Amino acid sequence: MSAEVLYFYAITRPHSGWDGTQLPQASILPAAPVATLAHNGLLAVVSAVPAALFEPSVLAERLRDAEWARERVLGHHQVLSELLVHHTVLPCAFCTLLDDAASVRDLLLARAPVFEAALDEVGGAHEWGVKISYERVALAEWVSREAPELAALREVVAKMAPGAAYLYRKKMHQAAEQHLPTAVEACIATVHATLASYARAAHSAPVPPQQVSDYDQQVAWSGAYLVAVEQRASFIDAVQQAMEAYAPRGLHVAVTGPWPPYHFAALKEGAPTDAAVALE
Amino acid sequence: MPQSHWNDRDVSLLELLDRALDKGVIVWGDLTLSVADVDLLYVGVRLLLTSVETAERTKRMSAATAELPSYTAS
């Protein structure tokens, strides 16, 4: 293996105003400036990095150093953020490495139509991430007080003498707990449908509880939206309306962005073998 | 009114990990990280994020997430 390999950040299509000189100042490593390799209108954004650091067996070991790993993740991100200003970007996964410039050229050549199609899809748009979390106690209170499903039970309790009502309140509490998932699901469905109507494409995924145990709140769901630049203001307005509508129920809607279109850069055809062949 | 305890900065960084570690263009080559490596990395960086922040780290993280506006619920 040669002394250097290429850290591969992204495949891009330059905006028309780009003069070829504005390259990201950030990089994956302090002394590994960002360079571009052009081929047929596609631009691969790379940094030459020491093979001694990024060769697979060594890299796996280095990445166990969480602090080192985080610096690299942030470096990757900063490069992508800077690229996003001037280019349509297909972000590569963190630590995508190719042998040399010939490998990059072969890859661009072999898969040009796929990359072109993916760039067309994400052009003029950004990814936005939305998460919905809930606070169990606050949501259960809202369900007992307001949920239509518990209306009958509420009426019964309201008409009871104070002593008997105590037992029914316990029943109400249990019923509310049972209805929590329904209330969360209803919120997710409504918010996702609304936000998706402003997006060119959308992803929706429930968040497994074990992944989010360090939050005080329970994150229930995560969505990603590919939003055209001209729809951005409407999209953010819709998110803010959702925040305000659901906050009194103990349901929290949070949005981050604009991101490079990580969720929308998956390639339409992607058998591992043909990429591997292209890299030979 | 319930208060949110999310830290905006941590939310953004976790969002970044969720994306950069297993989304984006996947190129299969000899040098690609294994799934096990990615999992380890994910756990390691997450642990680091939730550990006590030094002033140095806070500064770096603020700079890194400056471009990630978080229209986060209160």
Side-chain angles (χ1 to χ4, degrees):
Chain A
M1 183 174 294
S2 62
E4 287 190 324
V5 292
L6 291 177
Y7 186 96
F8 192 7
Y9 301 98
I11 297 156
T12 72
R13 180 188 283 154
H15 288 180
S16 52
W18 190 65
D19 66 6
T21 60
Q22 301 142 291
L23 289 173
Q25 296 303 300
S27 62
I28 188 68
L29 280 179
V34 171
T36 56
L37 297 169
H39 197 79
N40 278 355
L42 291 175
L43 216 54
V45 182
V46 299
S47 280
V49 293
L53 273 180
F54 283 85
E55 194 268 326
S57 59
V58 185
L59 180 59
E61 200 51 45
R62 290 308 299 262
L63 291 173
R64 284 168 202 264
D65 176 349
E67 192 136 3
W68 190 86
R70 190 184 60 175
E71 292 303 311
R72 304 291 77 79
V73 172
L74 290 179
H76 173 97
H77 169 66
Q78 283 168 320
V79 171
L80 266 297
S81 297
E82 291 183 55
L83 285 173
L84 208 53
V85 177
H86 292 292
H87 302 76
T88 297
V89 174
L90 290 181
C92 292
F94 177 65
C95 278
T96 297
L97 294 148
L98 293 180
D99 281 335
D100 50 26
S103 307
V104 174
R105 191 194 57 232
D106 291 349
L107 176 72
L108 293 186
L109 192 67
R111 315 196 82 198
V114 182
F115 293 142
E116 293 285 358
L119 284 163
D120 287 343
E121 169 141 358
V122 302
H126 293 130
E127 176 174 325
W128 294 83
V130 176
K131 278 199 155 98
I132 293 178
S133 64
Y134 65 93
E135 288 176 74
R136 203 173 185 90
V137 174
L139 181 58
E141 275 170 16
W142 180 85
V143 168
S144 331
R145 225 173 38 239
E146 307 278 345
E149 294 90 343
L150 300 191
L153 190 53
R154 267 196 299 276
E155 225 164 272
V156 173
V157 174
K159 287 177 185 159
M160 290 195 129
Y166 171 76
L167 275 178
Y168 268 84
R169 277 202 198 92
K170 279 184 91 167
K171 211 177 221 180
M172 175 76 91
H173 183 73
Q174 285 163 356
E177 282 283 324
Q178 280 170 5
H179 273 85
L180 284 189
T182 314
V184 175
E185 289 304 317
C187 169
I188 291 168
T190 306
V191 170
H192 182 58
T194 305
L195 297 184
S197 74
Y198 294 96
R200 203 183 285 173
H203 270 272
S204 169
V207 175
Q210 68 273 19
Q211 278 188 17
V212 292
S213 54
D214 52 344
Y215 284 122
D216 292 343
Q217 304 175 40
Q218 182 63 58
V219 179
W221 173 84
S222 163
Y225 300 88
L226 185 66
V227 180
V229 172
E230 58 270 22
Q231 286 289 333
R232 176 177 173 157
S234 313
F235 177 82
I236 296 298
D237 279 351
V239 173
Q240 273 166 344
Q241 278 170 23
M243 282 177 189
E244 284 159 25
Y246 287 100
R249 308 183 185 186
L251 283 156
H252 294 277
V253 180
V255 58
T256 57
W259 293 97
Y262 280 105
H263 282 82
F264 306 94
L267 305 176
K268 294 287 182 276
E269 47 103 312
T273 45
D274 55 55
V277 168
L279 295 177
E280 283 305 312
Chain B
M1 175 74 71
Q3 289 298 304
S4 163
H5 300 288
W6 278 17
N7 176 315
D8 288 4
R9 199 179 57 208
D10 283 354
V11 169
S12 292
L13 282 163
L14 291 173
E15 293 270 304
L16 169 58
L17 290 180
D18 286 345
R19 286 172 168 75
L21 298 194
D22 71 348
K23 298 290 191 296
V25 174
I26 309 287
V27 174
W28 288 274
D30 292 344
L31 302 179
T32 310
L33 277 183
S34 74
V35 172
D37 293 339
V38 168
D39 287 349
L40 267 179
L41 170 61
Y42 195 78
V43 170
V45 176
R46 279 182 58 91
L47 285 176
L48 189 69
L49 290 180
T50 54
S51 69
V52 178
E53 294 297 329
T54 64
E56 167 70 6
R57 279 189 204 158
T58 305
K59 203 177 88 193
R60 282 167 184 272
M61 288 165 73
S62 306
T65 54
E67 306 114 27
L68 305 177
S70 308
Y71 301 86
T72 309
S74 61

